[in-house]
Amino acid sequence: MSIALQKTLSLILLIVIGIFLQKKLQNEDQKKGLKTIILNIALPAMIFVALLKIEINPDLLILPVLALIFNIVMIIITKFSLPFFGIKADSPAMRTLMLLLPSLAPGLTCFPFIVEYLGDDVLAWAALADIGNKLFVLVLAYLLAMSWYYKNQKIKAKSNGQKVKELLLAMVSEPINLVILVAIGLLSFGLHMESMPAFLSSSILMMKDMMTPLVLIFIGIAVVFKWDQLRMIASILTFRAGFTFLLSGLFIWLVPMPSEAAVLLAVVFPQSAVSFWPFAHMSAVRKLEYENDAQKENPTFDLDLGINVLAVSMPFSTLLILGVFTSGSYFTAPLHILSIGGMLVGAALIPKAIQLIKNADFSFDNLREKVLKDSSVE
């Protein structure tokens, strides 16, 4: 048995343990507490250790920009592709998916596997890239959500300057981003993990070691199988994954990559599950609508659809990322990545195309009626 497969099976075992613990941790406060430990202690410690092991390189500053460009490209693709899946334009479902699908949550579904398979250096690159994604999910997604709310409810838009300022302050004070800033500051003075007192570095390393088992168990606990809308959501997520593979393959083909690990990072980072932050913005909009009874009947977003997308996206992305790492060097070749992307896009679109053809009426009477109608118009 290959080392990669053994590692994958050990990680899957932790997810299975989490699934068995679902009945023991049904209380939402317990799940929230576990997630708080992961996002505020274990993950920041892991990123801090990873960053202090790298050398400052100005070229790495392009990573947040690339992540933000990916978010913007995906929101454009989402807008023009969703009608093919039966999602009506300018509908609550359309607006919900346009906020969720371009967003990324690498902390829970990507970082643990990056550190296990690629090491701390590549994790540091991923953490820097996530800054651009955070700008999208915290600021741009909020501005979009509020602008759609004002448009849908026919309300004169208010100034968002103060709110954006608050969001930027929250972004800076978030433990993960604060750790990144502190680590970059220490590196600029030439300080590394070895420069720190032994008791402090040991504590940070122990917190870092909690990350992988905790997050995998959390994934197992958080998995919720809701079968309503599951077929449509799975189809849309398959299309998202396929198109993302196409973008990654094209990027790797056109841009020289420094190492095989960098290639794999470009493949797995965009496959992260959708982020919770856009859903939080949608929930805030729903609260505003419920404060005004006249707005209840015309919701801006479909929160039921949103929570189902979140529930399905996490295990879906986890399996994809594990599949990439388990396959060895297969996903380091651009042609292979493009082929897998094309197959996933086809798997998502072909059933829809067949359904549209089946629903179309090609009978002689219908065609004759259409011809007569066109003739009368002329």
Side-chain angles (χ1 to χ4, degrees):
M1 187 183 295
S2 68
I3 295 176
L5 183 57
Q6 291 182 48
K7 183 171 287 189
T8 298
L9 290 176
S10 67
L11 298 177
I12 291 174
L13 179 59
L14 289 173
I15 296 175
V16 172
I17 291 172
I19 293 174
F20 281 114
L21 286 174
Q22 282 186 346
K23 293 183 179 179
K24 297 286 186 180
L25 297 172
Q26 293 182 338
N27 190 309
E28 288 300 320
D29 289 336
Q30 293 174 323
K31 294 179 184 178
K32 186 177 180 181
L34 181 58
K35 187 176 179 181
T36 299
I37 293 173
I38 292 170
L39 295 180
N40 294 313
I41 299 177
L43 182 57
M46 176 184 283
I47 292 173
F48 185 76
V49 172
L51 287 173
L52 287 185
K53 290 184 178 180
I54 67 170
E55 299 294 331
I56 288 290
N57 185 348
D59 293 341
L60 295 179
L61 298 178
I62 192 63
L63 293 175
V65 177
L66 291 174
L68 184 58
I69 291 173
F70 168 81
N71 296 133
I72 294 171
V73 169
M74 286 301 296
I75 200 169
I76 295 171
I77 295 301
T78 301
K79 178 179 180 179
F80 290 104
S81 61
L82 284 180
F84 194 79
F85 293 91
I87 308 297
K88 295 181 179 179
D90 201 31
S91 65
M94 171 67 85
R95 291 187 285 265
T96 299
L97 293 171
M98 280 184 65
L99 277 192
L100 285 174
L101 296 181
S103 67
L104 299 173
L108 291 176
T109 53
C110 187
F111 286 177
F113 304 111
I114 287 176
V115 75
E116 289 296 322
Y117 287 95
L118 302 180
D120 289 340
D121 288 348
V122 182
L123 176 65
W125 299 349
L128 290 174
D130 192 38
I131 295 176
N133 173 63
K134 287 284 181 61
L135 181 63
F136 173 80
V137 298
L138 287 176
V139 180
L140 298 185
Y142 167 78
L143 293 176
L144 277 174
M146 293 306 297
S147 65
W148 287 337
Y149 164 68
Y150 293 135
K151 181 180 178 181
N152 185 58
Q153 301 298 345
K154 297 179 175 59
I155 300 173
K156 185 178 179 181
K158 302 176 182 178
S159 173
N160 288 313
Q162 183 62 31
K163 189 64 177 181
V164 172
K165 182 180 177 181
E166 293 174 3
L167 282 170
L168 288 173
L169 290 174
M171 184 176 175
V172 173
S173 62
E174 187 179 340
I176 294 174
N177 298 324
L178 189 60
V179 157
I180 292 173
L181 294 175
V182 171
I184 292 175
L186 292 174
L187 286 173
S188 65
F189 289 103
L191 300 176
H192 297 271
M193 284 295 293
E194 296 77 12
S195 310
M196 303 176 69
F199 76 92
L200 183 57
S201 61
S202 297
S203 297
I204 295 172
L205 289 171
M206 284 189 286
M207 289 187 288
K208 171 238 181 191
D209 291 338
M210 294 191 302
M211 176 61 187
T212 299
L214 278 181
V215 77
L216 293 176
I217 290 172
F218 175 77
I219 289 172
I221 293 171
V223 170
V224 179
F225 298 103
K226 297 183 177 181
W227 299 110
D228 293 341
Q229 302 174 321
L230 183 59
R231 182 180 298 178
M232 180 194 72
I233 292 172
S235 181
I236 291 174
L237 289 177
T238 300
F239 175 81
R240 173 186 187 257
F243 193 84
T244 299
F245 275 130
L246 292 176
L247 288 178
S248 296
L250 187 62
F251 178 77
I252 294 165
W253 187 18
L254 297 176
V255 179
M257 305 299 284
S259 64
E260 185 176 295
V263 172
L264 289 173
L265 175 63
V267 174
V268 298
F269 183 84
Q271 295 294 342
S272 301
V274 301
S275 173
F276 175 79
W277 279 106
F279 184 81
H281 301 325
M282 291 186 274
S283 299
V285 168
R286 176 61 60 87
K287 183 179 179 182
L288 290 174
E289 291 172 339
Y290 268 74
E291 290 174 354
N292 188 335
D293 291 335
Q295 298 175 5
K296 287 183 181 180
E297 305 301 323
N298 185 29
T300 306
F301 299 104
D302 185 343
L303 294 191
D304 291 337
L305 173 61
I307 198 65
N308 284 345
V309 171
L310 288 170
V312 177
S313 178
M314 183 177 288
F316 186 92
S317 293
T318 300
L319 291 174
L320 270 179
I321 293 170
L322 277 174
V324 170
F325 283 128
T326 306
S327 62
S329 60
Y330 182 85
F331 281 90
T332 58
L335 183 60
H336 293 167
I337 301 168
L338 291 170
S339 300
I340 293 296
M343 286 191 288
L344 288 175
V345 170
L349 295 181
I350 290 174
K352 294 295 179 183
I354 294 173
Q355 185 178 359
L356 288 174
I357 293 172
K358 285 182 177 179
N359 292 337
D361 188 355
F362 295 110
S363 64
F364 177 76
D365 292 337
N366 182 61
L367 291 174
R368 185 178 64 178
E369 182 180 342
K370 186 175 181 180
V371 170
L372 291 174
K373 184 178 180 182
D374 292 341
S375 300
S376 63
V377 170
E378 294 177 359

